[in-house]
Amino acid sequence: MSKPNLSSFASSIQAAAAPFRTYLTELHEKYHPLTDGKVADYIPELALAKPEWFGICVITTDGQTFEVGDCQIDFTIQSISKAFVYGLALEHHDRAYVNCKVGVEPTGEAFNSIVLDEKTNRPYNPMVNAGAIATTDLITGKDATERLKRVLDLFRRYTGREHDINVPIFLSEKATGDRNRAMAYLMRNFGMVSDRIEETLDLYFQQCSILINTHDLAMISATLANGGVNPITGERAIAAEYVQDVVSVMLTCGMYDYSGEWAYKVGMPAKSGVGGGITALVPGRLGLGTFSPPLDVKGNSVRGIKVCEDLSRDFGLHLFNAAPAERDLDEWLSGSGVADSW
Ligand code: GLU
C-alpha cells in the first residue's frame, strides 16, 4: 500500500503552463505506442506488471515538478536501489574500507553474472548483483530489523515519503534467488562478505522489493543533483562527500551492460531496474524518473531509454555536451520556450 506522498504534495508547483510540460506530454504520446521489449518474468511476480504503464517525471533542483502519465503507480525499485545503498554503505564505513569489498570497474557483463575480480576477489562494481550483495552486507545494524529500517529510512530521506516492501515480490525474489545465493556464498569463500549471509540476502531481496513510483525516481535523482539534499523537504539524504561516488558509478555502470553506450549517447548518470524504472540526473539541475515495464535484451526499459535520449539531445543535457542545445532548458522551464515547435 502506498503511503501519502508528502513530497508530491509539497512539490506540486506543477508549472502547468510551462512549455516543458507540453514537451513531456508530447514525448509521452510519441513513445506510448511503442510495443518493443518484454516485461521481466524471471521473478514470477514481476510478470504481473502491465506493458502499457508509462510515466515520466522531471524535478528540478529548485523543486519544480513536471509529471506525465502513470507517475503515481507503485512498482518495485529493483536494481535502482543498488546505487543508493552503496552511498549508505559508504556512510556506514569509510571509502577505503568499502573499496576493499567492492570495486568501481564496469564489467560489460550481465547484471547477474557470477564473476569476481581475479586479483582482488572483489565484485567488480556495486551495480552488478554480486557487488550489490557485498554492499548490502556492509549495512550496519544490530539485527535484520534495524538494518532494514536503515535502508527504508534512506529511501524516505531521498523521496520525502515512507516506503514499504512488496511482500509477494520479496518472497518471489527469495524463492528464485539461487543465483544470488550462489554469488553470496562464493564471496564468503573469499572473505568478501560476512557470515550473516542469509540475513544479508534477505535484506538485498527486500531492498529490491521496495515500492516506489515515477515521481520518487525523479526525486531521488533530483536529490543527488542537488548535492544530496532533497529539494523539497530540505533533508540531507547522503553526506555531500559521497555524492560523487554514487553518481560516478551510476555513470559508468548504472545501465547494465549498456552503460558505455548510454554514457556516450545520453551522458546522464543513471540507474535502471528490471521493474521498468530508470532514474537519471543532470548534476546541479534536475532529476528524471521514467517508468515503463517492457525491457530490452539488456534489461533496460525500452520507452525509458527513448525518453532519456530525446531529452538529452533536445536540451543538450549530455554531461559533456559543449555545443549549443536545440532548446534552452531554462527558457522551456520558465515559459518562454516554444512548446509546439517539434
Ligand atoms: N532483484 C533483482 C535480482 O537480483 C535485481 C534485478 C535488477 O533490477 O537488475 O535479480
Side-chain angles (χ1 to χ4, degrees):
M1 278 299 293
S2 103
K3 302 219 169 127
N5 189 336
L6 295 179
S7 57
S8 172
F9 173 70
S11 68
S12 43
I13 312 166
Q14 270 268 14
F20 188 65
R21 187 173 171 68
T22 308
Y23 171 90
L24 288 185
T25 305
E26 291 179 8
L27 205 53
H28 191 273
E29 281 164 9
K30 180 177 173 189
Y31 290 122
H32 205 208
L34 207 64
T35 53
D36 297 350
K38 195 170 164 299
V39 175
D41 58 5
Y42 75 102
I43 296 168
E45 283 288 321
L46 287 179
L48 302 176
K50 294 205 166 54
E52 61 271 21
W53 285 339
F54 184 25
I56 309 172
C57 180
V58 171
I59 301 180
T60 61
T61 48
D62 60 3
Q64 291 187 76
T65 300
F66 301 86
E67 47 178 79
V68 182
D70 302 313
C71 288
Q72 303 297 331
I73 290 181
D74 277 348
F75 54 95
T76 52
I77 189 167
Q78 295 295 335
S79 260
I80 297 169
S81 63
K82 295 169 177 174
F84 302 90
V85 173
Y86 179 58
L88 189 61
L90 286 161
E91 287 188 323
H92 285 191
H93 303 271
D94 60 22
R95 186 178 284 127
Y97 184 77
V98 174
N99 285 344
C100 290
K101 298 291 182 186
V102 54
V104 290
E105 209 58 60
T107 62
E109 307 264 352
F111 70 103
N112 58 0
S113 56
I114 304 187
V115 50
L116 300 176
D117 182 330
E118 273 178 22
K119 287 200 190 78
T120 60
N121 294 325
R122 288 179 312 182
Y124 276 93
N125 66 67
M127 306 301 202
V128 289
N129 286 7
I133 293 165
T135 304
T136 301
D137 185 54
L138 295 173
I139 301 309
T140 61
K142 67 175 185 312
D143 54 23
T145 310
E146 186 172 281
R147 294 173 78 207
L148 174 60
K149 207 165 154 273
R150 286 183 176 172
V151 169
L152 289 173
D153 197 52
L154 170 76
F155 288 99
R156 182 200 57 73
R157 292 198 300 275
Y158 271 104
T159 66
R161 69 164 180 137
E162 301 288 335
H163 292 276
D164 286 324
I165 305 287
N166 179 319
V167 176
I169 291 195
F170 160 59
L171 294 175
S172 196
E173 299 251 1
K174 189 173 155 96
T176 58
D178 281 346
R179 206 178 162 93
N180 288 326
R181 206 161 276 117
M183 277 176 230
Y185 281 93
L186 181 66
M187 288 191 288
R188 186 177 65 167
N189 174 63
F190 290 116
M192 286 294 133
V193 293
S194 67
D195 285 338
R196 50 180 179 184
I197 290 207
E198 291 301 327
E199 183 185 306
T200 287
L201 280 166
D202 273 359
L203 183 55
Y204 170 73
F205 296 136
Q206 283 163 335
Q207 83 181 46
C208 289
S209 308
I210 291 174
L211 286 165
I212 39 120
N213 60 36
T214 315
H215 182 274
D216 298 326
L217 287 183
M219 191 63 87
I220 57 182
S221 269
T223 297
L224 283 179
N226 195 36
V229 175
N230 181 306
I232 302 300
T233 64
E235 186 172 9
R236 178 163 286 287
I238 171 172
E241 65 185 293
Y242 296 125
V243 171
Q244 70 175 48
D245 303 64
V246 172
V247 175
S248 22
V249 285
M250 287 170 77
L251 182 63
T252 54
C253 314
M255 300 297 286
Y256 301 115
D257 44 330
Y258 184 69
S259 298
E261 209 169 321
W262 170 272
Y264 181 80
K265 274 194 187 161
V266 178
M268 293 182 206
K271 183 72 198 90
S272 71
V274 293
I278 297 178
T279 188
L281 63 138
V282 181
R285 304 214 74 186
L286 58 83
L288 161 67
T290 64
F291 168 54
S292 165
L295 309 177
D296 63 18
V297 286
K298 308 253 178 182
N300 295 309
S301 165
V302 173
R303 292 190 189 107
I305 294 232
K306 291 282 181 203
V307 166
C308 296
E309 281 176 358
D310 277 29
L311 273 162
S312 174
R313 185 194 56 235
D314 294 344
F315 292 95
L317 300 180
H318 192 296
L319 265 187
F320 309 123
N321 173 55
E326 200 179 311
R327 296 172 173 81
D328 182 288
L329 184 62
D330 289 328
E331 284 177 11
W332 282 64
L333 290 173
S334 69
S336 48
V338 183
D340 54 3
S341 67
W342 68 298

